[in-house]
Every structure is written in C-alpha cells, then in structure tokens.
Amino acid sequence: MLNFDKSHDPRQNKLLIEQITGNRLPIKDLILETESLFEQTRNISTIPQPEVNNSFSILKKLEGGVFHLTAERTRLLEPTRILLDHEGNVVPDWKDKLDVEYKRLLANIKTEINVLDYGAVGDGKTDCTSAFKKALGNGQVKVIVPPGIYVTKGITLPNWSWLIGSGTGTTTIKLHDKAPKGTRLITNANHWKGNHHLFVQGLSLDWNVERLGNVQKTSTWGNHSSCLTYANVTYGWVKDVEGINPGLHCFDISSTLYNYAGDGYRARGGSKYVWIDHVTGYGFGDDGITTHHSDYIFISNSHMCDPSGRAHQQGFSNSNGIEIDDGSRNVCLVNNSSARCFGGIEIKAHQNSSAASNVIIMGHISLNDNRSFNFRHIGRHKLNDSESRSAHNIIAANLAAIAPVYSDLYKDSTPRGLVVSAYKNVAINQFTVVGSPEYDFKGNPVIAVQYRARNVILSRVTIKDFTNRGPCIKVYGGVNHADSIKIQDCSPEEIEVGPGVQDVWIETMAPAAH
C-alpha cells in the first residue's frame, strides 16, 4: 500500500497514476476524448428548476452589503483548454503567456544578492527580518538564501523579486517565536495596489506553529496565518517549496480580501497567472493549497498531506489537500496528490459567494482522504435553497482514489471516492477507485451524484476491492435530486438511481466491478 507521507516526491505522480489507472490511451487522445465529453455536457438540455427566494437573516444581509464595497459582478470565462508542450507535459493553453512574463522577470533582475551580505545568519536563532527587507529593497533583485535556518517575523516581496534557497530541507525560513498568530511568513508587499512578477523557489517555510502553544485555533481571519500568500499578484511562480505546519494554509493564491457579497459576485484584487510547481506541505490548519477569487492558476506535481485541522473546531475540519474555492476561475491541476485530508481535491464555494468555475484536473492521486474528490456549492443543494448561478464546468481525467476512509478531521462525514453536488457541466473520464479489502465501508456508495447536480458525465469508471460497500455509483433522487446524468462503461447493477431523477443515460456496459 502506498504511504504518501511528507517525504513523498510528487514528481513520481505521473507514472504512479498511469500504473494505478491502467490507462492505455496516449495522453493526447485522453485529452481529446475528455474534452469531447465535456462538450456533450454543455449541450445537454437542463430541466428548469423552480426559483426559490432565500430568507437570509438581517445580519447576513448587512454583511453582504459591506462585502459589496469590494466586490464585482462575476462572469463565466471561456474555459481553459489543455495542451501538450514540446516535452509532452500537460499545460493550460495560457501558459505561453506566463512563459513570456518569466523572461521579462529575468530581464528586469538588475542585481543578484546574497542575504548573508545584509546581516542574515542561518543559525535558527538570529532575527533576520531586517536583513531580508534590506536585501529585497525595492525589487528588481534575485536574493540568494544559502543553507541554514533563517528566523524572520515575515518577508514581503516587492515587484520583480526572486527569492531562492538551496532546496527544501536545506534552506529553511522560520517564523519568529514572537510573530503574531495572523502573520504570513512570505507574502507580496502591497495587497491593495497589487504586485507582479514574483518568484519563490527552493525553500522550506516553517510557520512555527509550536510558538502558539496548545491553542484551540491556530489562525486568525481571511488570508492570514499561512506559509505563503500571493494576494492581488499578477505573474507569480512558486517552485520547489515546502510548507510546514501553517495555522491556515501552506499556499494561498488569493484576492486582497475574501468576499462574501453573494452568489454572482466575486472579490476585486484577485491574483492572475500564477504557477505552483513541485510544492509539498503538511500540518496545515485548513488547506494545503487554496485559491480564492483568482484566475488562470496552474498547480502541478505537488503533494499535500496530514493536516492538523486546527483552524476549525475539532471534528468539523474541512481541511483539503487542494481547494479551489470561492470565485476562482480557469484553474488547471496536473499530476498532484493528497493523503489523509478531508478532501483530496475540493472544488467549491460558500453559500454567500460565487463558486469556482472552469476547473481542469488532469491526473491526481488521493490516498485515505475522506472525500477523495468533492465538488459542491455549499448552501445551494436543497429544495428551499436558491440554485447556484456560478457552479459550472469541471473537466477531470486520470483520477485515482485509493481507500477513502472515515476521518477524525470531520467526524460525521461518510467516505466517498467522488461527490458531485450543485455543479453543472461536469465531465469525468478514466477514474479508478480502489478500496481496502479489510476496511468496512459500511454500506456507503462509492460515488455520489446528488443535490441538484446537472449535466454530469462519468466515463470509464473502475471500482474494486471494497468490502461492504453500497452501490458503486448512486444518483440521488428525492426533492433534491440530480438530473441529466450520463454514465458509460459501468455495469448496470453497480448503479442506483433514486426516485424523481428524470434523465439518466447508461451506456456501453463493462463487466461488473467487485
């Protein structure tokens, strides 16, 4: 059995995914096939649902009014397409724009500086905050951080900055014992005006949660309390970086402020064109990697595991390996992995925000996560909820869910390989779910399509090695039923369709799973 602890090298994920899924299609053909399935979802006629008026409390209405001051109307962008680069790697179609800006970053670096020359000492004791500030100056600089442990009270990056260490486990930046709970270990210099062309590379980032002692909650609010936060950053890179025990997130690609003005609105000041590659993280209080109200984000070859969940009330911790959250658009995930989280990948929104849309997943391994893949718009599920205006467009292929389990992180959550709730236009192709034969799945379905999900296609799904499971795929009925569902390459006796579901197509049956 795979372990996928904090030492796992996610650069192995591509090969491991191929081995687990047994995919024999060339990746180019898989991409074309999956995109074809997605186009089918967009052409399915959705059955109109009755409009419902939510009765929010006066306090919630006032809160929404305040958030309108920093909000803008959301709109659905044209979805990202995925391509193969000259080395055969899966990339979003806008990556060439980011590559051009990377060359501009290199051209605008005027000075290369060693932080030791500004008084930094990598002894794990000396306060190096001032040394980093002097070395970074007004930007246009590459700051080299040699091996050692550098203690700071936080580092802020001006435009045209490249902060580079000697590698994870070799160069560590550690938060000072006196740093407040809300401190971001590394962030950009100006969240309000925004920053651009930032690169952080080759570092371990230790948020030093131990400094807080035995507190019940390890984070403060918003996008604070994280190892690295890019807020209102255009053109950013994070490569070969490790996040250690943050109060909130290891890596947060975010807007200046989170925004809860309601479905149909999103925050101003989101980040754009950011690539996170080969990062790892563990011990996070909320999520390993998260995005909020940001566009054109690429996350590849990364691994998140073993959250503490301490940003939440014990037993109610929605701590995900990778979370694509409120208002995010055109996010591409390639060959990542997660282990022992609440959700491996969660694509979602809160009730009082717009949902993430246009999300692509090409390759992911989820090990012992409670909900391997969890797609939902919270508070937009039930008959008396307003239907989501923004939860649209998810494309996924080459997914592997290994042994989803019950979790102390969220004590009442039943395990699933996949949950789709409230989202429309979802195409999932080449999905392998492998149970643990000695684990009692307690009659739960492995895959659930439910709570007003619409226009969902599941293709080439393999489910095996479960003990005491329910149906492989359950399309939930009742007053909150899903509709317009197409399932192909699954055995009919492995599928349960609930009452009231009006449109389900089941085609091209494969031999029954076990």
Side-chain angles (χ1 to χ4, degrees):
M1 175 64 75
L2 300 170
N3 182 25
F4 279 29
D5 63 10
K6 63 185 181 181
S7 65
H8 170 65
D9 184 352
R11 289 172 295 191
Q12 302 172 6
N13 287 344
K14 180 180 178 181
L15 178 59
L16 289 171
I17 291 166
E18 291 175 357
Q19 293 171 349
I20 294 166
T21 64
N23 179 39
R24 297 293 179 261
L25 270 182
I27 189 65
K28 184 175 182 180
D29 293 343
L30 181 65
I31 290 171
L32 292 173
E33 181 181 87
T34 306
E35 287 184 335
S36 175
L37 292 172
F38 175 64
E39 288 305 315
Q40 291 179 44
T41 71
R42 300 174 81 186
N43 293 326
I44 295 173
S45 296
T46 301
I47 296 171
Q49 302 299 311
E51 286 295 324
V52 176
N53 292 320
N54 279 103
S55 55
F56 289 111
S57 68
I58 293 175
L59 181 60
K60 284 292 182 183
K61 289 179 179 178
L62 288 173
E63 182 184 73
V66 172
F67 280 114
H68 271 86
L69 298 175
T70 57
E72 62 185 14
R73 287 277 187 179
T74 191
R75 59 188 178 88
L76 194 61
L77 302 177
E78 186 62 27
T80 289
R81 295 199 62 191
I82 38 180
L83 311 170
L84 296 181
D85 67 11
H86 65 279
E87 296 178 348
N89 298 310
V90 177
V91 297
D93 59 1
W94 45 263
K95 183 177 174 291
D96 57 348
K97 181 180 181 69
L98 197 53
D99 292 342
V100 168
E101 297 301 329
Y102 174 66
K103 292 177 181 177
R104 288 190 66 206
L105 170 65
L106 297 183
N108 276 276
I109 297 292
K110 304 302 182 185
T111 311
E112 186 172 299
I113 292 171
N114 191 314
V115 73
L116 299 183
D117 295 337
Y118 287 80
V121 181
D123 60 0
K125 300 176 182 178
T126 303
D127 184 350
C128 302
T129 307
S130 178
F132 278 98
K133 184 175 182 179
K134 291 175 183 176
L136 287 161
N138 293 318
Q140 293 189 300
V141 64
K142 180 179 182 180
V143 176
I144 297 171
V145 191
I149 300 174
Y150 299 84
V151 174
T152 84
K153 294 177 180 175
I155 295 172
T156 56
L157 305 175
N159 300 332
W160 309 107
S161 294
W162 187 353
L163 184 68
I164 181 168
S166 297
T168 60
T170 301
T171 300
T172 299
I173 297 178
K174 184 176 181 179
L175 208 51
H176 194 285
D177 285 342
K178 301 296 185 182
K181 186 192 289 187
T183 304
R184 309 171 184 93
L185 181 49
I186 294 180
T187 191
N188 53 297
N190 196 319
H191 289 194
W192 291 102
K193 291 184 178 180
N195 292 103
H196 58 86
H197 296 87
L198 308 180
F199 197 163
V200 176
Q201 182 178 10
L203 300 162
S204 288
L205 304 180
D206 184 352
W207 196 76
N208 189 17
V209 71
E210 295 83 4
R211 76 189 192 281
L212 302 180
N214 190 29
V215 297
Q216 187 172 5
K217 185 177 181 181
T218 56
S219 64
T220 53
W221 64 281
N223 58 28
H224 293 72
S225 309
S226 297
C227 288
L228 183 146
T229 300
Y230 280 173
N232 199 0
V233 168
T234 303
Y235 309 123
W237 299 261
V238 184
K239 186 177 180 66
D240 305 327
V241 177
E242 176 186 41
I244 302 173
N245 298 330
L248 193 66
H249 304 130
C250 290
F251 306 95
D252 188 347
I253 310 304
S254 182
S255 52
T256 303
L257 297 172
Y258 295 167
N259 193 280
Y260 303 105
D263 190 12
Y265 294 89
R266 64 197 300 268
R268 299 179 187 274
S271 294
K272 297 182 289 293
Y273 298 104
V274 177
W275 184 13
I276 297 178
D277 182 54
H278 189 222
V279 304
T280 59
Y282 60 90
F284 35 96
D286 190 17
D287 306 307
I289 302 173
T290 188
T291 70
H292 294 83
H293 303 284
S294 295
D295 300 336
Y296 305 107
I297 311 302
F298 183 24
I299 302 168
S300 60
N301 308 305
S302 295
H303 175 65
M304 298 290 134
C305 67
D306 301 307
S308 73
R310 291 174 64 193
H312 301 272
Q313 180 183 346
Q314 187 174 0
F316 297 91
S317 179
N318 182 41
S319 290
N320 305 293
I322 300 176
E323 179 187 72
I324 311 305
D325 206 351
D326 301 328
S328 300
R329 301 179 299 188
N330 288 31
V331 179
C332 184
L333 312 175
V334 176
N335 294 336
N336 302 297
S337 56
S338 56
R340 296 170 295 277
C341 303
F342 168 67
I345 293 179
E346 182 167 76
I347 303 171
K348 85 168 211 299
H350 295 88
Q351 179 182 14
N352 49 0
S353 188
S354 296
S357 61
N358 294 355
V359 181
I360 297 174
I361 310 168
M362 289 297 295
H364 187 93
I365 305 173
S366 162
L367 174 67
N368 293 150
D369 297 319
N370 176 254
R371 303 228 157 160
S372 306
F373 301 94
N374 196 18
F375 309 153
R376 59 184 180 144
H377 192 166
I378 296 168
R380 303 287 171 173
H381 298 158
K382 298 180 180 180
L383 187 64
N384 58 347
D385 296 334
S386 294
E387 198 162 359
S388 176
R389 303 175 183 175
S390 51
H392 289 81
N393 299 354
I394 298 174
I395 306 173
N398 258 7
L399 307 185
I402 311 298
V405 294
Y406 285 90
S407 172
D408 290 338
L409 288 166
Y410 216 116
K411 60 183 181 180
D412 295 325
S413 179
T414 52
R416 300 280 192 276
L418 167 69
V419 177
V420 183
S421 303
Y423 264 87
K424 298 179 178 68
N425 306 343
V426 179
I428 299 174
N429 190 25
Q430 187 67 39
F431 181 26
T432 302
V433 192
V434 182
S436 177
E438 65 275 10
Y439 189 81
D440 183 359
F441 213 62
K442 298 185 179 180
N444 289 297
V446 179
I447 293 174
V449 183
Q450 61 186 25
Y451 287 156
R452 293 174 146 187
R454 304 279 186 265
N455 303 0
V456 178
I457 296 181
L458 305 178
S459 179
R460 293 203 279 134
V461 177
T462 301
I463 297 173
K464 60 184 179 180
D465 297 342
F466 281 85
T467 296
N468 191 25
R469 61 160 171 76
C472 284
I473 301 172
K474 183 170 181 178
V475 181
Y476 277 77
V479 293
N480 312 316
H481 61 84
D483 254 322
S484 303
I485 312 299
K486 182 176 181 180
I487 301 168
Q488 59 190 43
D489 291 325
C490 289
S491 173
E493 64 266 26
E494 303 298 332
I495 300 167
E496 179 181 315
V497 179
V501 180
Q502 299 183 46
D503 291 290
V504 175
W505 295 266
I506 300 174
E507 300 178 353
T508 318
M509 306 310 169
H514 298 286

